[in-house]
């Protein structure tokens, strides 16, 4: 809430000319709003709270990941002159330009407005403010005159620039959840822990913190890379499994004129296109953003038009998959429930799929473009994704209604014994596919994990990626590889091809007939056999 107030004041100040502190030898400024009698510990140094908060803000700013800045200000140290009284210790300040400085006090509205300009986004600035608030809370509520001093048995409460480590027994390691400052992105990630060791100093005979906190366990990039690489690999497998089915549907003439098969084929094609575009988005933008600055192309940070177009087409391709599934379900509903209804022309179905593919994505793209979103439109922090997710949920609802009606009619027909084998097979396939398509909408709309540990999120993400990649595989198996009609047509095609090759080239691919087993027969001669000759 406090960060929102800071942003509001920064906005108001930005409407007029910002009059910040001059870059002089001393600052005519009073450090107010804090308890001057209270001392707090920051990286082993005891400071009065008014000055301590400035140093805490400076450390939060100075150790912020450089990827969050558009322009990081250098720091200087100035003595503060408050009504003729000069504080004994200088306070850090950000050098905005040769004539202007900004305090690292997030409560100072003018300074906050200037510091905001150095961050790329409001969210990143809010993360800095959050660090300052946590530092202030550490000093105000976690520290007192007793626990900020080392003893032989305990290390004191200390703010290490990102985290507030409590009083800890000597010769132990204290673990805390990693600060969001440790990550390149301010978004909430799974819980990792930083460590700080408390050791006994033989020289001073007191417990003492290791000055360096171990944040190596906070490296989230490797976890994300493993997840995204698995997703890409799973999509490759789906493409490889789906392409032969598409080629079969295109190669066999009878399938090219069958509306039912055409709809299955189009569904597979939409899945393959979606997978290809998703792989491109992952490899070019998302995985690239997780690489080190020297290895990355900085595509997400640069936010070029090309990557935003890629994000748009990924969204449209996903919509296309849902639209094709709905049309497939609609056609099956017509075959089973409305048997004598006129078959809709394919041109109408193609037009419907085209509208359902692009219209929701155009609406979504218009919203994110109007809000001037960055990160190639692939990071949703403001909920615009629901403009397309809601459409997909509507598709899922329609498919569910069609399915329930199909189930009703099929139960009635099976009781009367009036279903064909093909209808039953299609019915079983649709029962399996319709819940599969769209199920991940409910999962991705809100993360469903048992806790915030990384292994729990791994289970969620790997399951979600596996399910998404399995869609094309299941469609290919159910409607092509395990389909008896396809088997018969392939056998006919092979037989015709064998005859052609045998006639033209003399190649014989005919299967050798199995040799009949030798048997013995007994012939019974009639009694008047001789009289017949």
């Amino acid at each position: 809430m406090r960060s929102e107030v800071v942003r509001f004041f920064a906005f108001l100040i930005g409407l007029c000319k910002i009059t910040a502190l001059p870059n002089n030898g001393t600052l005519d400024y009073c450090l107010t709003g804090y308890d001057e009698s209270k001392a707090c510990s920051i990286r082993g140094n005891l400071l009065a709270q008014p000055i301590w908060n400035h140093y805490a803000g400076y450390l939060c700013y100075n150790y912020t990941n450089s990827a969050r800045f558009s322009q990081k200000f250098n720091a200087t140290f100035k003595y503060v002159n408050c009504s003729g009284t000069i504080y004994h210790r200088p306070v850090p300040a950000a050098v905005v330009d040769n004539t202007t400085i900004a305090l690292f006090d997030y409560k100072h509205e003018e300074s906050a407005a200037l510091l905001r300009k150095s961050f790329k986004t409001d969210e990143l600035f809010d993360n800095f403010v959050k660090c300052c608030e946590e530092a202030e809370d550490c000093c105000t509520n976690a520290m007192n005159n007793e626990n900020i001093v080392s003893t032989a048995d305990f290390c004191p409460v200390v703010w290490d620039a990102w985290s507030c480590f409590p009083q800890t027994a000597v010769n132990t390691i204290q673990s805390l959840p990693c600060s969001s400052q440790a990550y390149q992105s301010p978004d909430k990630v799974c819980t990792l822990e930083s460590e700080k060791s408390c050791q006994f100093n033989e020289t001073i005979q007191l417990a003492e913190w290791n000055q360096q906190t171990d944040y190596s366990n906070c490296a989230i990039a490797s976890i994300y890379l493993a997840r995204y690489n698995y997703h890409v690999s799973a999509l490759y497998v789906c493409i490889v499994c789906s392409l032969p089915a598409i080629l079969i549907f295109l190669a066999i003439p009878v399938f090219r004129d069958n509306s039912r098969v055409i709809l299955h084929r189009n569904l597979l094609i939409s899945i393959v296109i979606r997978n290809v575009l998703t792989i491109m988005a992952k490899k070019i933008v998302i995985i690239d953003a997780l690489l080190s600055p020297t290895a990355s192309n900085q595509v997400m940070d640069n936010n070029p038009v090309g990557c935003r177009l890629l994000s748009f087409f990924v969204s449209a391709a996903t919509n296309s998959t849902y639209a094709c599934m709905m049309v497939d379900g609609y056609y099956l509903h017509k075959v089973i429930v409305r048997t004598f209804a006129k078959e809709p022309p394919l041109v109408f179905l193609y037009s419907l799929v085209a509208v359902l593919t692009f219209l929701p994505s155009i609406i979504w793209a218009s919203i994110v473009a109007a809000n001037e979103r960055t990160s190639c439109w692939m990071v949703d922090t403001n909920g615009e994704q629901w403009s397309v997710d809601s459409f997909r949920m509507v598709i899922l609802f329609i498919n569910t209604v069609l399915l329930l009606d199909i189930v009703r009619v099929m139960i009635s027909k099976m009781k009367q014994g009036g279903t064909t084998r093909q209808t039953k097979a299609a019915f079983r396939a649709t029962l399996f596919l319709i819940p599969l398509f769209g199920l991940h909408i409910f999962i991705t709309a809100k993360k469903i994990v048992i806790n915030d540990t990384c292994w729990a999120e791994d289970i969620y993400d790997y399951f979600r990626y596996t399910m998404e990649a399995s869609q094309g595989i299941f469609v290919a198996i159910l409607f092509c590889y395990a389909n008896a009609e396809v088997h018969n047509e392939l056998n006919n095609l092979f037989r015709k091809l064998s005859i052609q090759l045998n006639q033209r080239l003399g190649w014989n691919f005919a299967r050798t007939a199995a040799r009949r087993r030798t048997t013995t027969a007994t012939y019974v001669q009639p009694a008047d056999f001789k009289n017949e000759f």
Side-chain angles (χ1 to χ4, degrees):
M1 180 64 183
R2 190 173 296 172
S3 62
E4 295 295 329
V5 174
V6 173
R7 287 174 57 185
F8 175 71
F9 277 113
F11 172 74
L12 292 180
I13 295 171
L15 296 179
C16 57
K17 183 178 179 181
I18 298 176
T19 56
L21 298 173
N23 190 4
N24 298 328
T26 60
L27 300 179
D28 294 327
Y29 174 70
C30 292
L31 306 175
T32 59
Y34 302 103
D35 184 1
E36 296 188 11
S37 64
K38 183 178 179 62
C40 296
S41 174
I42 183 167
R43 307 195 80 181
N45 299 305
L46 296 181
L47 300 173
Q49 187 178 19
I51 295 180
W52 187 92
N53 279 279
H54 284 262
Y55 276 86
Y58 161 66
L59 292 178
C60 284
Y61 185 90
N62 187 56
Y63 289 107
T64 293
N65 192 304
S66 59
R68 302 185 182 187
F69 292 105
S70 56
Q71 177 189 2
K72 187 174 183 179
F73 298 139
N74 293 324
T76 186
F77 292 83
K78 298 289 184 179
Y79 282 95
V80 176
N81 184 351
C82 180
S83 301
T85 301
I86 299 179
Y87 285 86
H88 69 283
R89 182 185 287 268
V91 297
V95 180
V96 179
D97 53 43
N98 293 333
T99 61
T100 307
I101 62 173
L103 298 173
F104 290 109
D105 183 359
Y106 72 97
K107 292 182 178 179
H108 189 259
E109 289 87 358
E110 295 178 359
S111 295
L114 289 170
L115 291 177
R116 163 62 189 91
K117 292 184 176 181
S118 67
F119 288 88
K120 291 181 178 179
T121 65
D122 287 340
E123 291 78 14
L124 296 173
F125 173 70
D126 288 344
N127 198 256
F128 158 73
V129 172
K130 178 184 176 183
C131 178
C132 296
E133 291 174 340
E134 291 175 350
E136 182 182 352
D137 180 73
C138 179
C139 177
T140 303
N141 300 317
M143 297 182 183
N144 55 50
N145 292 335
E146 289 76 27
N147 64 18
I148 61 173
V149 179
S150 294
T151 66
D153 299 321
F154 291 94
C155 286
V157 180
V158 67
W159 177 259
D160 78 331
W162 282 350
S163 304
C164 185
F165 282 88
Q167 193 175 42
T168 302
V170 68
N171 295 326
T172 59
I173 296 177
Q174 182 64 250
S175 299
L176 287 179
C178 294
S179 168
S180 58
Q181 291 286 86
Y183 308 124
Q184 182 171 345
S185 168
D187 299 332
K188 178 176 174 56
V189 297
C190 58
T191 300
L192 299 171
E193 291 188 338
S194 58
E195 295 180 346
K196 196 174 184 69
S197 61
C198 175
Q199 301 169 344
F200 186 77
N201 190 322
E202 296 289 347
T203 303
I204 61 176
Q205 293 294 301
L206 293 174
E208 187 178 51
W209 285 110
N210 185 341
Q211 185 71 13
Q212 187 70 33
T213 304
D214 183 8
Y215 283 99
S216 61
N217 295 331
C218 300
I220 194 67
S222 59
I223 296 176
Y224 281 156
L225 281 173
R227 294 176 186 173
Y228 295 152
N229 284 325
Y230 171 82
H231 188 200
V232 169
S233 300
L235 293 179
Y236 274 127
V237 172
C238 178
I239 293 172
V240 171
C241 293
S242 301
L243 284 177
I246 296 174
L247 294 176
I248 289 172
F249 289 150
L250 290 173
I252 299 178
V254 68
F255 290 154
R256 293 199 296 266
D257 300 325
N258 188 310
S259 298
R260 172 176 53 82
V261 177
I262 289 174
L263 295 179
H264 299 336
R265 181 197 67 199
N266 292 344
L267 177 57
L268 276 174
I269 292 175
S270 70
I271 292 174
V272 169
I273 293 175
R274 181 203 63 188
N275 290 351
V276 170
L277 292 174
T278 301
I279 290 173
M280 292 175 61
K282 291 281 186 179
K283 299 285 285 186
I284 297 174
V285 181
I286 298 177
I287 293 179
D288 176 78
L290 296 173
L291 302 178
S292 63
T294 56
S296 172
N297 294 318
Q298 306 295 324
V299 177
M300 182 174 286
D301 289 337
N302 295 332
N303 193 38
V305 175
C307 76
R308 282 175 278 165
L309 285 175
L310 177 59
S311 182
F312 169 80
F313 284 114
V314 170
S315 174
T318 305
N319 295 339
S320 176
T321 301
Y322 282 87
C324 289
M325 188 60 195
M326 186 191 73
V327 170
D328 224 340
Y330 165 77
Y331 187 86
L332 182 65
H333 181 269
K334 175 220 168 283
V335 170
I336 296 176
V337 178
R338 300 179 297 111
T339 307
F340 299 103
K342 184 179 179 181
E343 185 172 306
L346 286 178
V347 175
F348 168 76
L349 296 180
Y350 282 139
S351 301
L352 178 62
V353 169
V355 171
L356 296 178
T357 294
F358 291 104
L359 182 59
S361 293
I362 290 174
I363 295 174
W364 165 77
S366 301
I367 294 173
V368 294
N371 293 330
E372 298 181 351
R373 300 304 180 201
T374 56
S375 301
C376 294
W377 297 353
M378 295 185 186
V379 179
D380 179 36
T381 58
N382 297 279
E384 290 100 346
Q385 183 63 28
W386 273 100
S387 58
V388 285
D389 282 348
S390 57
F391 153 76
R392 295 165 191 168
M393 293 182 69
V394 170
I395 294 293
L396 179 62
F397 173 76
I398 293 174
N399 277 352
T400 303
V401 172
L402 293 176
L403 176 62
L404 292 176
D405 198 31
I406 290 173
V407 170
R408 176 187 63 82
V409 174
M410 286 297 299
I411 291 176
S412 175
K413 287 186 177 182
M414 283 189 288
K415 287 181 179 179
Q416 301 172 4
T419 56
T420 64
R421 185 174 61 180
Q422 289 183 351
T423 303
K424 289 182 179 180
F427 173 63
R428 288 194 299 268
T430 305
L431 279 177
F432 186 74
L433 285 173
I434 289 183
L436 181 65
F437 276 83
L439 181 60
H440 65 281
I441 280 287
F442 296 106
I443 298 177
T444 56
K446 183 176 178 61
K447 280 193 173 183
I448 303 175
V449 292
I450 58 176
N451 53 50
D452 59 356
T453 59
C454 287
W455 68 264
E457 290 199 0
D458 279 343
I459 294 175
Y460 160 79
D461 281 327
Y462 284 119
F463 172 76
R464 176 166 62 98
Y465 293 149
T466 301
M467 185 176 63
E468 179 183 345
S470 299
Q471 294 176 2
I473 298 174
F474 282 124
V475 172
I477 291 175
L478 291 170
F479 289 125
C480 183
Y481 305 140
N483 188 283
E485 183 181 0
V486 174
H487 294 172
N488 292 333
E489 291 298 331
L490 287 175
N491 287 332
N492 291 336
L493 181 64
F494 177 78
R495 180 177 56 81
K496 293 176 182 178
L497 181 62
S498 299
I499 294 173
Q500 292 289 334
L501 292 176
N502 181 266
Q503 291 176 347
R504 296 185 179 184
L505 303 176
W507 295 354
N508 186 11
F509 291 97
R511 297 178 182 176
T512 303
R515 186 175 181 179
R516 181 177 297 177
R517 186 177 59 183
T518 304
T519 58
T520 303
T522 302
Y523 175 71
V524 180
Q525 179 176 319
D528 56 348
F529 177 77
K530 295 181 180 180
N531 298 330
E532 294 182 1
F533 290 91

